[in-house]
Amino acid sequence: MSWAAHELESYFIQKHTKTRVSYLAILLGCFLPDLFTKLPVYGFTIGDFTLRASDPAQYHRGWPGVGFTHSLMFGVVAAGLVLWRTRSRAWSLGLLLGCRAHVLTDCFDSVGTMLFFPFTTQRYSTGTWAYASQQGRYGDASAYYSSLGGVWDFLWLLLAISGYSVFSKKYFFSTVVPSDPAWGWLQRTFGLSPLAMLTLYRSYFLYGGCRVIAWFVWSRWFDDAPLDWSWGGPFWVDKVHSPTTAVGDFLLNTAAGLLGLTVTLWLGWRLAAHRWWRQAADRSPPDQSAG
Amino acid sequence: MADEDPRYRETPAEKAALVTAALLLIVLGVVVGVPLLNWIVGPAFVITVVLLTAPLFRRIMRGYGE
């Protein structure tokens, strides 16, 4: 899924999480699986130095590679580390939700994600649209916004807009800020005005929404890419597939993955996380003076 | 009522600044190019435009109001 849609999903999660959760942590979680890994996928050149993965799909989503960032365990580890270091439930939960959303929504392309890594390297993919990162940034965008991926992005845009109350001043200062001490810290450290904080909060919606529109317009009228809303499209791009697995192996891998994940989560919770979680509850409420 | 709280009231100048930022983002995204407006620069651009243009719109609208 595009970065723009990952930005938009953060507001949807914030709105529908019925407990105290940090918006900034959700946003960071939505970015985290790609944050340090996406650059070599498209590649970049500085002078004579070029950094580009020889097999972008394998590097990005596979093992060996950095595909472990697109697993359910990655979010758990990130959230666990944050809970351990900060004892903040709002941040830990936000990171977990953001990472999970990213990993699950990336299952819709033709390469998919290794949901149960490290217990299995089985990839899970619905193949709704073509994975085309190997075409470079522009080629990928052109293919994505000519396929059902573009439709998916517009759906996220509509979902975000349908919950428009999350963008109101009132929601920001009465719900978002009190849920997260980081806003108070930002205000104190950088001397941010209320308008600057509010705009920072809204900026990823505005940026994500406008990017969806801009990329779509660019693909249609500047790149002249033909629209193809068939399953797995667009037809004209050389797409990458996840390796095919026999049904029996798929079920076996999934069972092993589910079992490994469940046992690890249970052990992690029993041995340490429940203590950190309880200590986090003992903490005083965050600074609410930002509004 | 919380909606009547002046802290929560959206001013027309702030709305105009947001619309300006959105239009600029779309136009720049389509015409100028994409890698420049990445996930850090893009939102920073939105914040800069809103913070710079909101007072400008406020002044213009106040001028019309008088």
Side-chain angles (χ1 to χ4, degrees):
Chain A
M1 198 165 87
S2 73
W3 270 55
H6 286 310
E7 283 151 11
L8 296 173
E9 72 191 359
S10 62
Y11 295 95
F12 183 79
I13 298 169
Q14 156 79 40
K15 182 178 165 64
H16 293 284
T17 306
K18 301 296 177 201
T19 184
R20 197 149 110 166
V21 65
S22 158
Y23 167 74
L24 292 171
I26 298 172
L27 183 69
L28 184 63
C30 287
F31 284 154
L32 204 57
D34 279 343
L35 197 59
F36 304 106
T37 61
K38 199 67 189 271
L39 215 54
V41 172
Y42 291 138
F44 68 96
T45 303
I46 302 171
D48 292 336
F49 175 74
T50 300
L51 182 67
R52 183 170 162 79
S54 55
D55 182 348
Q58 173 65 23
Y59 163 80
H60 187 204
R61 300 281 181 78
W63 180 260
V66 293
F68 63 85
T69 58
H70 287 70
S71 68
L72 296 174
M73 266 310 283
F74 181 74
V76 172
V77 171
L81 284 173
V82 165
L83 187 64
W84 171 52
R85 293 304 300 164
T86 66
R87 298 292 197 274
S88 167
R89 283 184 178 189
W91 264 78
S92 174
L93 192 61
L95 261 182
L96 182 68
L97 291 173
C99 279
R100 287 272 162 100
H102 185 124
V103 167
L104 291 172
T105 49
D106 273 0
C107 285
F108 288 103
D109 63 36
S110 59
V111 166
T113 58
M114 299 188 295
L115 286 183
F116 297 115
F117 187 88
F119 312 108
T120 171
T121 55
Q122 173 72 51
R123 293 211 203 138
Y124 294 85
S125 157
T126 64
T128 313
W129 56 81
Y131 180 99
S133 286
Q134 73 285 355
Q135 304 287 334
R137 186 177 277 109
Y138 285 93
D140 190 18
S142 193
Y144 183 82
Y145 285 99
S146 303
S147 70
L148 285 174
V151 178
W152 185 241
D153 270 28
F154 277 105
L155 180 73
W156 276 105
L157 183 56
L158 284 176
L159 280 174
I161 291 171
S162 69
Y164 61 90
S165 61
V166 295
F167 305 113
S168 70
K169 237 182 203 178
K170 183 186 168 191
Y171 185 85
F172 176 68
F173 286 116
S174 63
T175 304
V176 177
V177 173
S179 300
D180 188 355
W183 289 104
W185 177 83
L186 281 171
Q187 188 186 34
R188 287 189 301 274
T189 310
F190 299 104
L192 294 185
S193 66
L195 179 62
M197 291 209 302
L198 178 66
T199 312
L200 172 63
Y201 168 68
R202 288 169 169 170
S203 63
Y204 279 92
F205 165 71
L206 214 62
Y207 173 68
C210 292
R211 296 299 276 169
V212 171
I213 296 166
W215 273 121
F216 188 80
V217 170
W218 176 81
S219 309
R220 299 284 72 71
W221 291 285
F222 285 75
D223 199 45
D224 285 333
L227 263 183
D228 176 16
W229 284 344
S230 63
W231 198 266
F235 65 88
W236 45 265
V237 79
D238 188 16
K239 71 176 173 185
V240 185
H241 290 277
S242 57
T244 46
T245 318
V247 177
D249 288 341
F250 177 85
L251 292 175
L252 214 63
N253 290 340
T254 304
L258 270 170
L259 184 70
L261 185 68
T262 309
V263 170
T264 309
L265 287 179
W266 182 78
L267 279 175
W269 178 257
R270 292 291 298 168
L271 293 176
H274 80 282
R275 205 170 50 244
W276 302 336
W277 188 259
R278 211 177 41 237
Q279 287 167 355
D282 296 337
R283 293 245 164 149
S284 56
D287 180 9
Q288 300 195 8
S289 62
Chain B
M1 285 285 285
D3 283 341
E4 288 160 7
D5 189 327
R7 286 181 307 161
Y8 299 145
R9 201 176 298 140
E10 300 279 355
T11 67
E14 286 167 16
K15 287 179 190 168
L18 282 171
V19 171
T20 306
L23 290 176
L24 280 174
L25 262 183
I26 293 173
V27 171
L28 285 175
V30 173
V31 179
V32 176
V34 195
L36 190 71
L37 287 171
N38 61 31
W39 64 280
I40 298 173
V41 178
F45 175 79
V46 171
I47 296 168
T48 309
V49 170
V50 169
L51 292 184
L52 287 178
T53 58
L56 204 69
F57 280 118
R58 204 171 297 138
R59 217 168 300 152
I60 293 168
M61 286 168 180
R62 202 177 295 148
Y64 273 109
E66 283 169 3

